Amino acid sequence: MKEKMLCTVDSKGVATITLSRPEVHNAFDDELIQLLEKTLEQLGKDKKIRALVLAAEGKNFSAGADLNWMKRVAEYSEAQNCEDAAKLAAMLNKLDSFPAPTIARVQGAAFGGAVGLVSCCDIALASERASFCLSEVKIGLLPATISPYVINAIGARQARRYFVTAERFSALRAQQMGLVAEVCAEGELDLTLQKLVNSITNNGPRAMAMAKGLALSMSNRVIDQALQDQTSALIAQVRASNEGQEGLSAFLEKRAPEWMVIDDVEK
C-alpha cells in the first residue's frame, strides 16, 4: 500500500514532509493527520533538524479534507466529531509551534484545511499557478480549527471576507494578504526554496528557534517598561550563551561559525 506521506532528512538537517496522495490532490484524512502529528512531534525533538519543508506531490498542494473522511465524520455524533477535530487541532499546533523554521512549498490548489497548513508555516513559497480557497461554507461548514492560524496570517479583515465568500484567490493575492511570502514561476519554485533553505542553514539553530518564539510572543504587546526589561534580559542571555559567543567570535574573526554547513561545491 502506497504511503500517504513521505519524510526525508538531508545531510544539512533539512527535513522534508511530502504529502503523497496526488491521485486525490493530496487531500488529508484522519490517518494522514495522525501521521503528520506523529512525524512533527518526532522531528521537533531532534536537535539536528535545522529546517522543515512541507511539500506535496503532483499538480496540487492539497484539496483539503478527503471526501471519504468527510462521509465518515458526517455519521459521527457531536462528541465523536469533537474528538476527531481535536486531532486536527493538535497537528496544526505541532506545525505552528515547530521549533525550527518551516517552509510551505505550494504548487497548484490549496483548499480548505490546506490553507491552514500553509498558515501554520513560517514562510510560504507559491508558484504563479497556485490558488487558494477557504471553501468550507460552500458545504455548510466552518474553517473553525484552522481559523486562528489563518487569521494570524492574513488578518481579521481579510478573513471576514474569504471565510464567508469562499472565493478562490490567486498566489499574487495571497502574497498581498501575507499568506504567501514569495511567488515565482513553476520552474523556479525549487530553486527559490533551495536559496531560502541555504540562508536558514547558515544561521544559529538555537537563535532561530528563539527568534521564532520572539516573533510570536511579542505580537501585539504593549511596549512598556516590563517589556523593555524582558527583551533586554533575553538578549543578554543569548549573548552569554555558547551559540551567541561562537557567533560573535566567528564574525569578529571573519570565519564561518561552527554550525554553518558548507556544501562540497562551496569548499
Side-chain angles (χ1 to χ4, degrees), residues 125-137:
L125 306 178
S127 72
E128 291 174 334
R129 71 175 190 85
S131 61
F132 303 82
C133 183
L134 291 152
S135 53
E136 287 84 353
V137 293

Side-chain angles (χ1 to χ4, degrees), residues 185-199:
E186 184 84 5
E188 296 177 2
L189 192 54
D190 286 327
L191 179 61
T192 304
L193 173 62
Q194 191 57 55
K195 287 179 179 178
L196 187 59
V197 167
N198 289 343
S199 295

Side-chain angles (χ1 to χ4, degrees), residues 243-254:
E243 186 172 289
Q245 290 289 302
E246 167 62 14
L248 287 170
S249 296
F251 176 74
L252 294 172
E253 296 166 12
K254 298 182 179 179

Side-chain angles (χ1 to χ4, degrees), residues 47-179:
K47 302 299 183 184
K48 296 178 181 178
I49 299 300
R50 306 287 294 277
L52 172 68
V53 176
L54 182 61
E57 293 181 357
K59 294 182 178 180
N60 295 305
F61 180 73
S62 175
D66 180 272
L67 290 178
N68 289 323
W69 178 41
M70 296 296 288
K71 288 177 183 177
R72 279 190 281 116
V73 300
E75 298 175 358
Y76 286 178
S77 66
E78 185 174 343
Q80 288 174 313
N81 262 293
C82 189
E83 182 180 351
D84 184 77
K87 294 175 182 177
L88 174 60
M91 183 272 287
L92 292 170
N93 183 256
K94 283 282 195 312
L95 179 58
D96 186 63
S97 60
F98 194 80
T102 54
I103 308 167
R105 179 197 180 280
V106 185
Q107 84 284 11
F111 282 12
V115 180
L117 292 177
V118 176
S119 299
C120 286
C121 290
D122 300 318
I123 306 165
L125 306 178
S127 72
E128 291 174 334
R129 71 175 190 85
S131 61
F132 303 82
C133 183
L134 291 152
S135 53
E136 287 84 353
V137 293
K138 285 187 175 182
I139 54 173
L141 299 178
L142 297 173
T145 314
I146 65 172
S147 61
Y149 309 105
V150 177
I151 292 170
N152 281 344
I154 68 175
R157 186 66 175 170
Q158 299 297 345
R160 287 169 69 170
R161 171 179 175 172
Y162 291 101
F163 279 10
V164 302
T165 64
E167 297 169 85
R168 187 168 180 164
F169 54 94
S170 69
L172 288 176
R173 179 63 178 143
Q175 185 180 34
Q176 291 171 354
M177 292 190 290
L179 179 63

